[in-house]
Amino acid sequence: MQETYSPREVEAAAQQKWQRTAAFKAVEDASRPKYYALSMFPYPSGKLHMGHVRNYTITDVLARFKRLQGFNVLQPMGWDAFGLPAENAAMKNGGAPAAWTYANIEYMKTQLDSLGFALDWERELATCKPDYYRWEQWLFTRLFEKGVIYKKNGVVNWDPVDQTVLANEQVVDGRGWRSGAVVEKREIPMYYFAITKYAEELLTSLDTLDGWPEQVKTMQKNWIGKSHGSDVVFAYDQDSIGHGGELKVYTTRPDTLMGATYVAVAAEHPLATQAAANNPALQAFIAECKAGSVAEADVAKMEKKGMDTGLFVIHPLTGAKLPVWVANYVLWGYGEGAVMAVPAHDERDFEFANKYRLPLLQVYAKVAGDNDFDASNWQDWYAAKDDSVRTVNSGKYDGKSFSEAFDAIVGDLEAKAAGQKKTQYRLRDWGISRQRYWGCPIPIIHCPTCGDVPVPEKDLPVVLPENVIPDGAGSPLARMPEFYETSCPKCGGAAKRETDTMDTFVESSWYYARYASPKCDTAMLDKAAADYWLQVDQYVGGIEHAILHLLYARFFHKLMRDEGLVSSDEPFKSLLTQGMVICETFYRELPNGSKDWIAPQDVVLERDGKGKITGATHRVDGLPVVVGGIEKMSKSKNNGVDPQEFIEKYGADTARLFMMFAAPPEQSLEWSDAGVEGAFRFLKRLWKLAKEHADAGVVAAYAGGELNASQKELRFKLHSTIQKVADDYGRRQQFNTAIAAVMELLNTYDKTERSDAAGRAVAQEVLESVTLLLSPIVPHITDAIWAVLRPGSEVLAQAWPKVDEAALVKSEIEMMVQVAGKLRGSITVAADAAKDVIEATALAHENVQKFMEGKPAKKIIVVPGRLVNIVV
């Protein structure tokens, strides 16, 4: 064993051995329980960042721990390789996205290997490879024929710079998330997954996911947005509109219908179009509305604007005429593109009505007595759904609670054929058409005779040409006759291939299942392998994927189940959402008002006695810099730490140890140079302890015999630590406390006499156990230490240490002694000592006598196994 710890040599040796022996290859084995550990796969952007390191280390720790426990472990890795960043990089660098992507994959793969992750690389996949997306296309054609995928015109967010559709979540403050361009609305033909057909199951099956964070389940429930309400039909006022017809709205509060004072329609609604025909001002306003985002988040934040159309509809219960307004907060494609407005009991409607001086009609009031209403004390915006309010100004519906008014009004609407009770979901069908090049081609052929025809299975995959360099002017596929010119599979006539590609969320919605049989070339999944490995036992990834990716993956799993490809209902049994890696930021103001962000390693800090930063200067010129606060590591703030540079300096095990020790996995981790140095010192200490013991000669681990008191105490500490660390890894997933427990154990080890034969045997037992306890977190150094402690064996072949229950039975215990609530000493008594013996021993303690000052004990309180408190 080398004198000093050398991470570079230790880690290279371990990694070469693991690669040579295919140590992490997973094979189905019915004789052992399986454990499928998975991290959300990375986009091959070029380099790993510290967020990746944290994510994959957490998963690797769990995988290695389960292996020690006897599980058959699968931990695969692949690449979420399609997407717009590759196109942007290609335009910037003048190369094809494929070449850029594959080069990045190779580099990032070496980075992952350098971190010592126990990955089965034989199952590697990349979503841009035809052998992967072939099966995505195959499923698409089956679902298209079933109607689960369909085509229709849809209003979309259009990025005029990137020339593509954006999902609502890709629109930030009305601008494209990558280009920053003002997003436009466009109506174009789109392919949709009918995810709404699965809305109820996606909602109810959340209750089966006991291993998911409640926060994530709540976010998904809110996104699916199940609500109970009613359709309400407002007949057209023929005097103003000029013809018959009806305006249908959906509302969750039909009980407030008597307070409706106007209706609002989307800019694309036929009534808006009719009213604008001879109204230039309304035409301009409608154009402004159409240019805005269709993202609900943007609509909620924008200033509410509207224009009166001069048209009216008829209130279905009162016959009153209600004005029709065009409003920018009403989205076409959401329901019927119309809403009824009750300004007295809805905050948005209240804001709009006040702005345009529209009437407010109160229909709920707080209960002042049994049936005595205080009409002056009405709720300003929102009417409660409980017995604290009753209806007012509602004619025959006066005096009713929410549920009573709801049922009575809906009953009358149904009797008049002017509405009916309805359950609705906020969730909308998933539009997956993208006008981009670097994505999975949609396997549809457009025939002038036969219409939209799915590509036959024998002709799949529709291969994306990889030697294309996009120029930013829309998808190059639409300008490539060699790609789109084809013949109809049905009639044989000239036809055109679809040039849109799929939303990249499609690829990331089923990759976890393909890992079970990535080389299968006869089916999307090998059923036997899928049934063995699925569900994923532990999924790890960022909270930012809580809604879309996780919802789409759950939806896809149910689609595959209904195709007979998988047997389970949900893809991920347990979910861990790790926190961000954050770090201090520093900058200088530039003359144009922007900030020049300075890397933390280029800053010299001054701190006060409590560690608080009191000043900062640039390492090169010595001039002051501004402390910008702690933020997520990012390129934009120049506050990231390059994992490769870090590994070269400290080693992968230091990175892994620091990541696991600095914070619980679900919380943000603040980067700390001092913390890194502390992790490195601990590994050097571990190495030194192992070397000192090995140099004196390794022995058999303790298996019985006489021990002195300190050696018994060390074994008690050892086996209680084994018990705790197993719980921390497995049930609690709190790796920082597991590491702290091992550190405490080694502190006890340092204080224990180990020179005699019994001491040497206990020392051997402790060091072997510590090596196993830490091996999931720091696998390289523990591999080397184990080889010295147990020559001829491998740490990977070992089992998790067993707890010796006998070691946890203490013949003597230490109890703290307080006088008047203040600690004054400690006593050692037999573990089964009687209460009177404990009291007598405490009273005889010299320091206790001193602080009792000769006064008699008024009361003695004994907390078994812990303390004695004497009241004088």
Side-chain angles (χ1 to χ4, degrees), residues 403-677:
S403 58
E404 292 168 344
F406 187 107
D407 291 341
I409 290 175
V410 171
D412 285 352
L413 289 173
E414 290 177 341
K416 291 173 170 281
Q420 62 179 3
K421 190 177 292 187
K422 184 178 180 182
T423 297
Q424 188 162 293
Y425 300 88
R426 178 178 177 270
L427 182 68
R428 295 293 176 261
D429 281 346
W430 175 16
I432 57 108
S433 299
R434 298 293 181 267
Q435 296 67 45
R436 293 197 291 258
Y437 155 63
W438 190 239
C440 172
I442 292 177
I444 294 291
I445 292 171
H446 305 295
C447 173
T449 304
C450 305
D452 295 337
V453 182
V455 175
E457 183 177 346
K458 66 180 179 62
D459 295 331
L460 295 176
V462 177
V463 176
L464 183 76
E466 292 191 348
N467 58 348
V468 177
I469 302 176
D471 58 10
S475 172
L477 298 178
R479 305 191 300 274
M480 294 175 61
E482 64 273 28
F483 175 78
Y484 64 72
E485 287 182 352
T486 188
S487 57
C488 175
K490 283 189 175 180
C491 69
K496 184 178 179 180
R497 194 180 300 283
E498 175 62 64
T499 58
D500 280 1
T501 55
M502 295 190 209
D503 180 4
T504 56
F505 273 115
V506 179
E507 283 85 63
S508 61
S509 293
W510 69 282
Y511 77 103
Y512 65 89
R514 182 67 179 175
Y515 279 138
S517 51
K519 308 303 181 188
C520 183
D521 60 2
T522 58
M524 187 174 188
L525 303 176
D526 179 282
K527 184 67 163 56
D531 283 347
Y532 178 81
W533 289 115
L534 297 175
Q535 303 166 298
V536 174
D537 294 282
Q538 182 67 65
Y539 199 33
V540 181
I543 191 73
E544 66 271 18
H545 301 294
I547 296 176
L548 288 189
H549 162 60
L550 289 169
L551 184 65
Y552 292 153
R554 295 180 60 227
F555 168 54
F556 238 78
H557 198 81
K558 297 177 193 305
L559 293 177
M560 292 190 293
R561 176 203 62 193
D562 293 348
E563 290 295 324
L565 299 169
V566 299
S567 300
S568 49
D569 294 325
E570 288 285 339
F572 312 120
K573 185 177 180 180
S574 293
L575 173 70
L576 191 158
T577 53
Q578 91 279 358
M580 298 181 296
V581 181
I582 57 178
C583 187
E584 290 279 6
T585 59
F586 306 93
Y587 65 90
R588 282 176 174 162
E589 293 277 1
L590 295 175
N592 63 3
S594 63
K595 293 180 173 65
D596 176 25
W597 296 96
I598 300 166
Q601 58 266 30
D602 294 332
V603 176
V604 177
L605 298 176
E606 300 170 12
R607 298 181 185 270
D608 61 18
K610 297 180 180 179
K612 183 179 179 181
I613 297 174
T614 57
T617 55
H618 200 291
R619 191 177 301 278
V620 176
D621 59 26
L623 298 177
V625 299
V626 180
V627 180
I630 299 173
E631 297 194 37
K632 177 183 176 180
M633 282 189 176
S634 66
K635 291 180 181 177
S636 62
K637 298 293 171 63
N638 197 22
N639 67 332
V641 175
D642 185 346
Q644 209 57 39
E645 293 180 5
F646 182 95
I647 292 168
E648 288 173 5
K649 182 176 181 180
Y650 291 104
D653 281 344
T654 297
R656 294 170 62 117
L657 182 65
F658 169 73
M659 286 285 184
M660 295 302 97
F661 187 53
E666 71 280 359
Q667 296 181 13
S668 292
L669 183 155
E670 183 177 348
W671 189 263
S672 162
D673 291 340
V676 169
E677 292 286 353

Side-chain angles (χ1 to χ4, degrees), residues 287-305:
E288 177 187 336
C289 292
K290 288 182 176 180
S293 165
V294 296
E296 285 184 85
D298 289 330
V299 172
K301 290 184 292 185
M302 69 172 59
E303 179 189 358
K304 307 302 182 288
K305 296 181 180 179

Side-chain angles (χ1 to χ4, degrees), residues 216-289:
V216 174
K217 292 196 286 186
T218 299
M219 291 168 74
Q220 290 213 0
K221 286 177 182 177
N222 292 340
W223 187 261
I224 295 167
K226 184 178 182 179
S227 63
H228 301 285
S230 174
D231 282 332
V232 182
V233 176
F234 296 83
Y236 284 4
D237 169 51
Q238 295 198 36
D239 290 342
S240 61
I241 296 177
H243 58 84
E246 58 186 33
L247 181 75
K248 185 188 286 187
V249 305
Y250 170 79
T251 176
T252 60
R253 299 303 302 268
D255 55 301
T256 64
L257 177 57
M258 300 300 284
T261 59
Y262 68 96
V263 297
V265 299
E268 296 84 357
H269 196 281
L271 288 182
T273 303
Q274 176 182 331
N278 298 305
N279 186 335
L282 185 54
Q283 290 172 12
F285 177 67
I286 288 174
E288 177 187 336
C289 292

Side-chain angles (χ1 to χ4, degrees), residues 831-853:
D832 58 354
K835 184 172 183 286
D836 58 343
V837 174
I838 295 172
E839 291 177 355
T841 307
L843 288 170
H845 192 286
E846 181 181 357
N847 211 38
V848 170
Q849 288 286 328
K850 173 184 174 183
F851 283 96
M852 289 179 68
E853 299 176 341

Side-chain angles (χ1 to χ4, degrees), residues 164-181:
T164 186
V165 169
L166 299 178
N168 287 344
E169 295 68 33
Q170 295 170 321
V171 180
V172 181
D173 295 329
R175 295 177 179 270
W177 67 327
R178 295 197 182 278
S179 70

